């Protein structure tokens, strides 16, 4: 039997698909290391147990599958019917029996992967709308999922660290966060320096200004801080509150 492969021939997109598949395997490994009883424990996200994180990641895969189907068929299928429906779905998913919750994660991830695999070249450029109301090409769903699986693996509080996340993911995450702050005028004048990635230059609204608020550390620490995950070992700015992201 011949193995089925991605229909896309775009090398950059294929690299992103490989990265998200690695992230999915990393996420699944951290989930499977947890016993059913440990799923009841707290995550690193305030107010959420590990069950809530699993439910969120599982339903996120289903939501992204809807966007890819939208791109493939032209039939509008939003990620969620409303923010309230999304929150209710996560709350419900957290109450599922452990076996059902694990099955949700596994099945939803496989379904999304199949949908990506069978998306023809032309459809990847079709525009869809995210839950935040952004209009983006279908290729954006790959990054959206990369962000979910890598970062939420850390949120499980099961030994994963930001230093385990590929630099490519951390770099794009940091740019996304700082871009969001700039777009919503949330940046109080930050000068963000990444010590092990000088090619990024200074980021933030205060970049290049001596009066800016300095935040400095390695890529993993700065991305952890910027994304709202406390405890980052920054070289400077450890006491600076990060603006809200999403």
């Amino acid at each position: 039997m011949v193995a089925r492969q991605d229909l896309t021939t775009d090398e950059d997109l294929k690299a992103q698909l490989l990265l998200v598949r690695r992230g999915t395997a990393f996420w699944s490994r951290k989930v499977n290391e947890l016993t059913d009883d440990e799923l009841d424990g707290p995550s690193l996200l305030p107010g959420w147990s590990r069950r809530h994180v699993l439910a969120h990641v599982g339903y996120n895969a289903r939501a992204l599958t809807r966007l890819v189907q939208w791109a493939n068929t032209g039939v509008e299928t939003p990620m969620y019917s409303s923010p309230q429906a999304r929150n209710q779905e996560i709350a419900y998913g957290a109450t599922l029996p452990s076996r059902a919750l694990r099955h949700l994660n596994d099945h939803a991830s496989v379904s999304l992967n199949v949908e990506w695999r069978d998306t023809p070249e032309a459809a990847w450029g079709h525009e869809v709308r995210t839950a935040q109301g952004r209009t983006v090409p279908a290729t954006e769903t790959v990054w959206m999922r990369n962000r979910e699986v890598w970062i939420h693996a850390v949120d499980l509080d099961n030994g994963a660290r930001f230093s385990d996340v590929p630099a490519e993911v951390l770099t794009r995450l940091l740019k996304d966060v700082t871009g969001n702050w700039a777009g919503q005028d949330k940046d109080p004048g930050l000068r963000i320096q990444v010590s092990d990635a000088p090619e990024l230059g200074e980021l933030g609204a205060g970049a290049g200004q001596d009066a800016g608020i300095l935040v400095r550390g390695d890529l993993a620490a700065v991305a952890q801080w910027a994304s709202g995950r406390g405890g980052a070992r920054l070289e400077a700015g450890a006491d600076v509150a990060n603006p809200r992201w999403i």
Side-chain angles (χ1 to χ4, degrees):
M1 180 181 293
V2 178
R4 299 186 66 177
Q5 298 179 340
D6 295 312
L7 294 183
T8 183
T9 58
D10 184 290
E11 292 302 323
D12 289 339
L13 179 55
K14 289 169 71 173
Q16 287 299 307
L17 287 166
L18 177 60
L19 187 62
V20 78
R21 287 162 182 154
R22 285 177 52 204
T24 299
F26 182 67
W27 158 260
S28 296
R29 184 170 77 249
K30 302 315 292 183
V31 170
N32 291 334
E33 287 172 357
L34 294 166
T35 67
D36 289 350
D37 287 342
E38 287 173 332
L39 294 182
D40 295 326
S43 74
L44 295 180
L45 297 177
W48 271 17
S49 69
R50 288 167 172 151
R51 288 180 168 277
H52 287 90
V53 179
L54 261 70
H56 169 62
V57 173
Y59 287 124
N60 170 266
R62 288 188 175 179
L64 291 175
T65 298
R66 289 192 282 272
L67 290 190
V68 183
Q69 290 171 339
W70 179 352
N72 279 319
T73 65
V75 177
E76 183 173 338
T77 48
M79 292 184 71
Y80 308 99
S81 59
S82 69
Q84 294 77 17
R86 171 186 175 275
N87 293 337
Q88 290 170 1
E89 188 174 57
I90 294 171
Y92 166 74
T95 69
L96 291 172
S98 298
R99 182 177 179 181
L101 188 54
R102 293 177 189 274
H103 178 75
L104 165 67
N105 268 267
D106 294 341
H107 184 269
S109 293
V110 169
S111 295
L112 176 57
N113 187 53
V114 169
E115 201 68 38
W116 279 329
R117 184 196 66 193
D118 294 342
T119 296
E121 197 77 64
W124 282 105
H126 292 171
E127 291 187 334
V128 295
R129 188 173 60 254
T130 71
Q132 288 75 38
R134 294 186 303 126
T135 299
V136 299
T139 51
E140 186 75 3
T141 62
V142 182
W143 162 242
M144 293 166 69
R145 188 60 178 174
N146 256 314
R147 185 177 64 198
E148 291 289 318
V149 291
W150 286 106
I151 304 308
H152 285 315
V154 177
D155 290 332
L156 287 174
D157 195 19
N158 184 37
R161 299 289 183 263
F162 268 72
S163 56
D164 297 323
V165 180
E168 181 179 356
V169 175
L170 294 177
T171 298
R172 185 162 180 182
L173 174 67
L174 185 56
K175 290 180 178 180
D176 269 12
V177 173
T178 55
N180 176 276
W181 292 342
Q184 299 193 35
D185 198 25
K186 295 178 178 178
D187 189 325
L190 297 168
R191 292 173 53 208
I192 302 171
Q193 299 176 355
V194 183
S195 58
D196 56 347
E199 67 275 9
L200 293 177
E202 274 196 346
L203 301 170
Q209 302 176 28
D210 292 339
I213 304 167
L214 179 62
V215 174
R216 177 179 170 84
D218 63 28
L219 180 58
V222 172
Q224 180 179 341
W225 169 83
S227 64
R229 275 70 178 176
R233 295 185 177 180
L234 297 168
E235 300 167 17
D239 56 347
V240 176
N242 66 305
R244 181 176 174 82
W245 173 36
I246 55 174

